[in-house]
Amino acid sequence: MNIKETLQQTLAELIQSVYQIYDVTLEIQENKTDFEGDFTIVTFPLVKYLKKSPDQIGMELGGAFTAQSDFIQDFNVVKGFLNLTIKDTFFLKNLKTSSENLNTITPKNETVMVEFSSPNTNKPLHLGHIRNNLLGYSVSQILQEAGYDVIKTQIINDRGIHICKSMVAWQKFGNGATPQSMNRKGDKLVGEYYVAFDQHYKTQISELIASGMDEETAKKQAPLMKEAQKMLLEWEKGNDEVKNLWSEMNAWVYEGFNETYQRLGVNFDQVQHESETYLLGKNIIQEGLLKNVFYRKDDGSVWIDLTEEGLDHKLLLRSDGTSVYMTQDLGTAVQRFAENDIQKLIYTVGNEQDYHFQVLFLILKKLGYSWAEHLYHLSYGMVELPAGKMKSREGTVVDADDLMQEMYLTAKEKAQELGKLDQLSDVEKETSYETVGLGALKYFILKVDPRKKMLFNPAESIDFNGNTGPFIQYTYARIQSLLSKAEFSAENTFPEEYPLNAFEKELIMQLSNYREVIEKAAATLSPAQVANYVYDVVKSYNSFYQNNPILNQDNISVKTMRLNLSHATGLVIKKSLSLLGIGTVDRM
């Protein structure tokens, strides 16, 4: 337990033993006022139970704290607020324990599967995918740090009408182009044909409308759309020519995806493909029909009626027998629980799919799968740019590779402008540009609560001041430089007696909060908890650093203590950043 948790537990025990009250929790705050003391306890909630003044209750609790615990130095009561001064020895003991336990993980003995990325093989990854991947990967890291076994997975959307659109366009307009012949990443090449399909499709619709056809009919009768629909049917029948083209173009895309994942720093333990799971989904449809959970319309399509749950009728299988996304997701979920001993499944998918997952989870419950109670949709807000919303089919997206390269170049330009890395070798500089650039991108995205829509500003994210990745990385590098100049060896030992000042106490309290923050971040599936925590640690350290001489400190015991405290801070910063997928550099 950290310092505050120990106080909270002791306070609860005192209220029960002194007043025999069991259902009241008093708020404990770190003391940021001019009042003397490290923590403040708000006593007012007890007034209505005890019919005593807040000051009297404060004095009674303060006396009980002093008498029954060994870590209270002193207390005072001001206008009903109980201010506690904690003994320095308790701070030091807590710092020692938290430092020793930094790498100690208590197993939860539960396995959680986290799905993220889940791209379509008709286009490259873009800015929206970056937020998805960073969230899913960071949540996985945080859950592992909290003691869970984690399986990172993705379902690749490698079949369907959207895939066929790229294939049809390549056949018509590609002239045999390959990634090698065009010197293009495979995912980008295929994405260009997806855009080309949409452009030619719109032209055909306009021509049909001009000939007298209404818009809705024109969309259905456009020759390109009919060809794509025919190709999908041929794919599902197993047509060799269609399947071979499909395999070849998907292989181009996978190679491109892997390059992007490697640079972004994410990986997966398992990969599923919708081309395999959609068949299992069809079997589940038959199961649901037999159980009368689903119904079939006269045209042969299969539906479920969810009106009693306040929803609507949901299509599960088209009249021509082809699958929809829901069909595939049903099959995927069943397969995951059949093949893995997992206690929870988390879907990292944007909030545009909130309704889809509400329906998916409800259907699985109606089908009788007990594990359906342990499905969770990590719904996150969309990422937008100053120019507005992105659209893949119109080619107005921010490409993930281009954005990462831009962040690298921006970091390089900024570092050269400030002279931050002049002392490094060329190889070290290049590594630093990459680490700082991608760290800026990751931190800027992950510091925002996942549920919130966000506006991404590359220039703002790369700032070396404020709540940014580079600012945190720079503080870490400052600590490493300090330790190097002091020729410090990593002792990580702390004296039992040492007169702490307010800056040292504040920093120690922040460091001791690490495990509590991890538990909260794991419970809420929010990397923002870790991001904002490490920023608070950095702010506390910088205040400590600016107000406490270290290298020119004549008192050896004080100097040693402050170097050890700096070292402990560096470890927490590095570990926290790693949970966000962010690297560190020793010199900046």
Side-chain angles (χ1 to χ4, degrees):
M1 288 191 294
N2 63 21
I3 298 171
K4 190 173 180 179
E5 288 173 323
T6 302
L7 279 176
Q8 195 77 62
Q9 179 177 305
T10 304
L11 177 60
E13 293 170 354
L14 287 177
I15 292 174
Q16 292 174 17
S17 64
V18 175
Y19 299 121
Q20 288 75 54
I21 296 176
Y22 300 88
D23 57 350
V24 173
T25 300
L26 298 187
E27 182 182 1
I28 298 179
Q29 304 170 344
E30 293 181 20
N31 198 342
K32 304 292 186 182
T33 69
D34 293 331
F35 298 138
E36 183 181 347
D38 301 307
F39 291 91
T40 296
I41 298 174
V42 182
T43 63
F44 297 99
L46 286 175
V47 171
K48 67 178 181 179
Y49 291 91
L50 302 175
K51 309 304 181 186
K52 298 179 179 179
S53 70
D55 281 4
Q56 184 178 354
I57 295 171
M59 292 299 294
E60 291 173 353
L61 282 177
F65 256 117
T66 303
Q68 299 184 35
S69 63
D70 60 358
F71 53 81
I72 301 299
Q73 178 76 36
D74 196 5
F75 75 92
N76 66 81
V77 179
V78 180
K79 298 181 180 179
F81 293 93
L82 171 59
N83 303 302
L84 299 176
T85 300
I86 309 300
K87 290 181 179 178
D88 290 343
T89 53
F90 187 69
F91 276 96
L92 293 166
K93 179 181 178 182
N94 196 275
L95 174 62
K96 183 175 186 296
T97 301
S98 60
S99 296
E100 290 173 347
N101 294 336
L102 184 62
N103 296 312
T104 302
I105 298 175
T106 304
K108 294 283 197 302
N109 298 317
E110 289 184 33
T111 300
V112 180
M113 177 175 280
V114 182
E115 176 197 291
F116 59 98
S117 193
S118 305
N120 297 327
T121 58
N122 63 324
K123 55 190 175 185
L125 305 179
H126 55 62
L127 176 56
H129 290 114
I130 284 184
R131 187 177 198 191
N132 181 295
N133 276 270
L134 295 182
L135 270 176
Y137 183 78
S138 183
V139 164
S140 300
Q141 297 295 98
I142 290 166
L143 288 170
Q144 284 184 315
E145 183 68 8
Y148 294 93
D149 293 319
V150 177
I151 300 172
K152 302 187 298 293
T153 190
Q154 65 168 323
I155 174 73
I156 297 180
N157 304 300
D158 63 340
R159 62 162 298 282
I161 191 68
H162 50 297
I163 309 300
C164 291
K165 288 178 181 179
S166 293
M167 293 165 62
V168 166
W170 182 86
Q171 283 183 325
K172 286 189 164 298
F173 318 119
N175 297 316
T178 67
Q180 292 75 27
S181 69
M182 302 300 291
N183 194 29
R184 294 282 283 161
K185 273 184 83 220
D187 52 339
K188 287 182 169 50
L189 182 68
V190 172
E192 289 168 3
Y193 290 107
Y194 181 63
V195 173
F197 179 95
D198 188 64
Q199 292 170 342
H200 286 84
Y201 175 51
K202 285 179 177 177
T203 298
Q204 290 182 349
I205 292 172
S206 297
E207 291 172 350
L208 290 172
I209 292 174
S211 69
M213 191 178 291
D214 66 86
E215 183 178 355
E216 197 60 37
T217 304
K219 288 180 178 179
K220 295 177 182 177
Q221 295 301 319
L224 267 180
M225 182 57 72
K226 284 191 168 185
E227 287 186 61
Q229 291 169 339
K230 180 183 178 183
M231 181 175 280
L232 178 58
L233 287 171
E234 290 299 316
W235 185 94
E236 293 201 6
K237 290 176 183 177
N239 180 292
D240 287 339
E241 182 181 348
V242 172
K243 277 295 188 77
N244 289 338
L245 176 60
W246 169 80
S247 296
E248 183 178 21
M249 292 182 71
N250 275 350
W252 298 344
V253 174
Y254 296 148
E255 187 174 347
F257 282 172
N258 289 337
E259 285 183 38
T260 305
Y261 290 144
Q262 185 173 1
R263 187 170 191 183
L264 194 58
V266 303
N267 55 59
F268 303 90
D269 303 306
Q270 292 184 8
V271 177
Q272 289 175 293
H273 299 84
E274 283 195 1
S275 56
E276 299 166 356
T277 60
Y278 90 102
L279 294 174
L280 179 57
K282 285 190 173 184
N283 294 335
I284 295 171
I285 298 302
Q286 297 306 312
E287 173 193 334
L289 287 168
L290 291 174
K291 291 181 176 180
N292 293 318
V293 175
F294 307 148
Y295 69 92
R296 191 186 297 275
K297 285 189 176 182
D298 292 340
D299 64 358
S301 60
V302 178
W303 299 71
I304 184 171
D305 181 1
L306 299 174
T307 53
E308 288 188 7
E309 286 78 13
L311 303 175
D312 55 11
H313 293 259
K314 181 67 180 176
L315 174 67
L316 301 175
L317 203 65
R318 297 188 185 96
S319 57
D320 61 6
T322 56
S323 304
V324 295
Y325 274 121
M326 189 62 69
T327 323
Q328 296 153 184
D329 281 350
L330 288 168
T332 304
V334 170
Q335 185 182 58
R336 284 169 172 168
F337 278 89
E339 296 182 353
N340 300 279
D341 181 18
I342 55 178
Q343 284 68 59
K344 188 172 186 177
L345 171 56
I346 298 167
Y347 295 87
T348 310
V349 183
N351 58 16
E352 292 179 337
Q353 296 296 322
D354 285 352
Y355 175 76
H356 174 85
F357 284 99
Q358 186 181 2
V359 172
L360 173 65
F361 299 167
L362 186 55
I363 291 174
L364 289 166
K365 289 176 185 177
K366 284 180 172 290
L367 288 171
Y369 293 103
S370 58
W371 43 258
E373 297 289 341
H374 306 293
L375 303 175
Y376 183 82
H377 175 205
L378 175 51
S379 174
Y380 63 88
M382 294 295 101
V383 185
E384 294 186 4
L385 295 158
K389 194 173 181 179
M390 301 178 294
K391 296 180 181 178
S392 297
R393 69 185 64 181
E394 296 179 11
T396 60
V397 300
V398 176
D399 181 85
D401 297 314
D402 293 344
L403 179 59
M404 286 190 284
Q405 183 65 11
E406 180 186 343
M407 295 305 297
Y408 155 81
L409 292 173
T410 304
K412 181 176 183 177
E413 179 183 359
K414 193 79 172 178
Q416 291 176 341
E417 176 188 323
L418 298 175
K420 293 282 188 185
L421 305 174
D422 290 346
Q423 75 278 21
L424 303 185
S425 69
D426 289 343
V427 173
E428 289 175 322
K429 286 178 182 178
E430 288 300 315
T431 300
S432 295
Y433 300 149
E434 182 79 359
T435 302
V436 173
L438 293 189
L441 169 66
K442 294 175 181 182
Y443 186 82
F444 195 89
I445 287 177
L446 292 175
K447 73 178 181 180
V448 179
D449 185 294
R451 294 165 295 183
K452 295 181 179 178
K453 181 173 70 173
M454 67 171 295
L455 187 71
F456 180 69
N457 186 325
E460 185 179 330
S461 72
I462 207 73
D463 199 333
F464 278 79
N465 295 297
N467 190 5
T468 67
F471 174 67
I472 294 168
Q473 290 171 316
Y474 179 67
T475 300
Y476 176 82
R478 168 187 278 179
I479 292 172
Q480 302 316 303
S481 176
L482 170 72
L483 298 176
S484 176
K485 289 178 181 176
E487 298 181 349
F488 174 81
S489 59
E491 302 171 25
N492 215 36
T493 56
F494 303 96
E496 293 184 7
E497 298 281 346
Y498 177 88
L500 294 166
N501 61 39
F503 297 103
E504 293 165 332
K505 282 186 176 183
E506 167 64 21
L507 181 55
I508 290 172
M509 280 195 281
Q510 288 288 357
L511 298 179
S512 73
N513 289 338
Y514 175 79
R515 281 289 156 202
E516 180 187 11
V517 170
I518 297 306
E519 290 298 324
K520 287 181 179 178
T524 59
L525 304 179
S526 176
Q529 299 261 3
V530 177
N532 289 295
Y533 164 71
V534 72
Y535 177 56
D536 286 340
V537 169
V538 164
K539 286 192 298 182
S540 291
Y541 180 79
N542 285 326
S543 294
F544 156 77
Y545 179 83
Q546 291 161 9
N547 290 278
N548 292 274
I550 301 178
L551 290 179
N552 60 351
Q553 171 59 247
D554 295 330
N555 187 314
I556 298 301
S557 63
V558 173
K559 181 177 181 179
T560 301
M561 169 64 193
R562 290 175 180 171
L563 286 170
N564 272 292
L565 187 51
S566 297
H567 177 248
T569 303
L571 293 176
V572 169
I573 293 173
K574 185 171 186 175
K575 196 167 184 64
S576 298
L577 287 178
S578 73
L579 297 179
L580 305 175
I582 297 173
T584 55
V585 290
D586 289 345
R587 292 193 291 171
M588 280 178 69

